[in-house]
Amino acid sequence: MSSNFLNALGGTRLYPLTDRQLSKLSHAEQISQLSAGGAKVVQLREKSLSPLEFYREAEAAVRVARECGLTIIINDRVDIALALKADGVHLGQDDMPAEAARGILGPRAIIGFSTHNVEQAQLAAAMPVDYVAIGPMFATLTKQGGYAPVGLEELNLVRQAIGGRPLVAIGGITFENSLSVLSAGADALSLIRDIWIPDGQASNRTRRLLHRL
Amino acid sequence: MSSNFLNALGGTRLYPLTDRQLSKLSHAEQISQLSAGGAKVVQLREKSLSPLEFYREAEAAVRVARECGLTIIINDRVDIALALKADGVHLGQDDMPAEAARGILGPRAIIGFSTHNVEQAQLAAAMPVDYVAIGPMFATLTKQGGYAPVGLEELNLVRQAIGGRPLVAIGGITFENSLSVLSAGADALSLIRDIWIPDGQASNRTRRLLHRL
C-alpha cells in the first residue's frame, strides 16, 4: 500500500499545496503552475470556501491535473474526492477516521494523515494510510493548529518510529532548510509559503526547488 | 424515487432535527427521545463539531437509529453518511451538488435539498432529490441563512411548482401553526425549537405533536 504515494512522486521529493490566501490564482491555475514547475503530486487545501464552492474549484483542478498527468490529493473532504475521482485525500487529526475514509475510497486511493509529534506518528503508522505527514517542522506563519515546531531531531525519531512508511515534512520548510529536512529522514517536503510568496506565482520557484532536492 | 422518503415517514408528517444548541443531550440520546415520541425519520444536524467529533456522534446516533428502526438522514457530510451507512443526506444551497451526492450514494439513498423561495424550489424539482425542503416558513430565532420568511401563500406556490415531489416545511413552525402549514401544501414538518424547548427533552412533545398532525 505504501508505494502508491512514492510511485506517484516518481523520484521527485516535493509535495506542494495550493493556497488561495498566498496566491490570487484559482486552485486549477495553481495546479497548472505547479505542474509547469515539475511537481508530480499536489494537494488541494481550502479552508474558507463553502462545500459547493470548494467542489466547483476542485472539479476544475482535477480536470487540469488529469490533463497534466498530475496526482491530486484533496484535503479533508472525502466526499468531494470520491465524487470527482481525485487520487486521494489528506486527513488531519480532527477529520474523519482514516479507516472510514479507506472504507469508502477503496484500496487504491492515496490517504495521507497529519501528525504533530512522535506519539501521533506512531499511531498513524498503524492506520491504513499511504503516508504520514509531520509538522510544523519549524516556526511558521501558516496556521498549523497551535502545535510546537517538531525540529530535525524529533523528525529523526519519527522516521524511526514509523518504519518504512513514507514520511512528508511540512511547516516552515524553505529553500535553505530543505536539504537538512530530507537528510533527517523525510521522503518528501510539503512547501507552501516559499513557493507562493512573494508574488503568488509558483512555477519558477517549483522548478528551482526541484533542481535543488 | 420520490416515494423513498414518504415510505420512511410511514404516514407520519413530522421530520424532526437534532440540535445540540437547544438540547444538552448527545445526538444519539436525542434520536432515542425522538423515536420514543413516535418519529420515524430524523435528521442529524451539527454545525459546530469537528468532522471527527461529528463522525463519532453520528456513529453512535446511527447505531441507536438502527436499534429503534428509525430512518436517519445526515446533514451536509456525504462522506460521513456513506461511511456510516446512514439512510441519506440533507444538502443545503452551499453544499456539494445533489447530482454528485447521488453519484456516490447510489439510487436508494434519500437525498433532501434546502430551498428558500419558489425559484430555488423549481430548480430543486429537476434535481435527483427525494424531497424538497422549504423555509424558513416564519420568522425564527434558529439560523436560516438570512432568507426572508416564506409564509403560507408562497408555500402554496412552491407546492404547485414542484408537482408531486415530497415537500418538507421548516423554520418557525410551532404546535399552533403546524396544521396550517400542512393545509398549505407541506407533506411533512421539520420542527426544532418547539420540540426541544424549553428543557431539551423531546419525547413528550414529539408524541403530542404527532397526535395533532
Side-chain angles (χ1 to χ4, degrees):
Chain A
M1 190 173 65
S2 302
S3 57
N4 278 352
F5 180 67
L6 294 182
N7 284 347
L9 282 172
T12 63
R13 307 187 74 179
L14 180 66
Y15 176 31
L17 274 70
T18 58
D19 192 309
R20 281 179 59 260
Q21 266 70 56
L22 299 180
S23 172
K24 291 195 192 312
L25 301 173
S26 70
H27 285 290
E29 291 166 321
Q30 291 184 37
I31 298 287
S32 177
Q33 291 231 343
L34 295 171
S35 175
K40 301 290 181 202
V41 184
V42 296
Q43 184 186 141
L44 211 73
R45 188 169 68 173
E46 174 57 59
K47 296 292 185 188
S48 56
L49 295 177
S50 74
L52 178 60
E53 292 168 322
F54 184 29
Y55 181 90
R56 294 296 179 207
E57 283 265 320
E59 188 175 34
V62 168
R63 201 180 305 125
V64 170
R66 291 291 162 261
E67 287 164 9
C68 302
L70 245 67
T71 293
I72 182 168
I73 311 287
I74 306 282
N75 188 283
D76 174 19
R77 293 293 300 223
V78 180
D79 40 11
I80 292 179
L82 187 62
L84 296 174
K85 299 184 172 62
D87 298 292
V89 292
H90 183 92
L91 301 172
Q93 292 282 327
D94 294 330
D95 287 329
M96 68 184 284
E99 292 77 5
R102 177 64 71 196
I104 60 180
L105 290 173
R108 297 188 54 169
I110 295 173
I111 300 181
F113 188 64
S114 291
T115 69
H116 309 288
N117 52 50
V118 174
E119 291 69 30
Q120 289 181 353
Q122 251 165 342
L123 291 172
M127 298 175 184
V129 299
D130 296 273
Y131 69 86
V132 175
I134 178 81
M137 280 305 302
F138 307 109
T140 167
L141 295 172
T142 309
K143 181 180 163 291
Q144 297 285 342
Y147 285 97
V150 173
L152 296 175
E153 211 165 314
E154 190 168 355
L155 175 62
N156 201 268
L157 297 177
V158 167
R159 169 79 283 168
Q160 295 167 41
I162 67 168
R165 195 70 61 113
L167 181 60
V168 173
I170 185 169
I173 299 175
T174 62
F175 279 51
E176 290 67 32
N177 65 33
S178 56
L179 292 176
S180 67
V181 179
L182 291 178
S183 301
D187 295 298
L189 308 178
S190 271
L191 268 81
I192 311 167
R193 292 194 73 80
D194 231 26
I195 51 169
W196 293 111
I197 292 288
D199 60 357
Q201 311 285 325
S203 58
N204 286 337
R205 276 187 300 281
T206 300
R207 193 175 300 112
R208 286 211 312 278
L209 184 61
L210 278 168
H211 269 289
R212 188 186 174 90
L213 301 182
Chain B
M1 191 173 63
S2 302
S3 57
N4 277 354
F5 179 68
L6 293 182
N7 285 347
L9 283 172
T12 63
R13 306 187 75 180
L14 179 66
Y15 177 31
L17 275 68
T18 58
D19 191 309
R20 281 180 59 260
Q21 266 70 54
L22 298 181
S23 171
K24 292 196 192 312
L25 301 173
S26 70
H27 286 290
E29 292 166 321
Q30 291 184 38
I31 298 288
S32 176
Q33 291 232 341
L34 295 170
S35 175
K40 301 290 182 200
V41 184
V42 295
Q43 184 187 141
L44 212 71
R45 187 169 70 172
E46 174 56 59
K47 297 293 185 189
S48 57
L49 295 176
S50 73
L52 177 60
E53 293 168 322
F54 184 28
Y55 180 90
R56 295 297 179 205
E57 283 265 320
E59 189 174 33
V62 168
R63 200 179 307 126
V64 170
R66 290 293 161 260
E67 288 165 8
C68 302
L70 245 67
T71 294
I72 182 168
I73 310 287
I74 306 282
N75 188 283
D76 174 19
R77 293 292 301 223
V78 180
D79 40 12
I80 292 179
L82 188 62
L84 295 175
K85 299 184 172 60
D87 298 292
V89 292
H90 183 92
L91 302 171
Q93 292 282 325
D94 294 330
D95 287 329
M96 68 183 284
E99 292 78 4
R102 176 65 70 196
I104 60 181
L105 290 173
R108 297 189 54 170
I110 294 173
I111 300 182
F113 188 64
S114 290
T115 69
H116 309 288
N117 51 50
V118 173
E119 292 70 27
Q120 290 182 353
Q122 251 165 343
L123 291 171
M127 298 175 184
V129 298
D130 296 273
Y131 68 87
V132 175
I134 178 82
M137 280 307 301
F138 307 108
T140 167
L141 294 171
T142 309
K143 182 179 162 291
Q144 297 285 342
Y147 286 97
V150 172
L152 295 175
E153 211 165 313
E154 190 168 357
L155 175 63
N156 200 267
L157 297 176
V158 168
R159 170 79 282 167
Q160 296 167 41
I162 67 169
R165 194 71 60 114
L167 180 61
V168 173
I170 185 170
I173 299 174
T174 62
F175 279 52
E176 289 67 32
N177 65 33
S178 56
L179 291 177
S180 67
V181 179
L182 292 178
S183 300
D187 294 298
L189 309 178
S190 272
L191 267 81
I192 310 167
R193 291 193 71 81
D194 231 25
I195 52 169
W196 292 110
I197 292 288
D199 60 357
Q201 311 285 325
S203 57
N204 286 337
R205 275 186 302 280
T206 300
R207 193 175 300 115
R208 285 211 312 277
L209 184 60
L210 278 166
H211 269 288
R212 187 185 174 91
L213 301 182

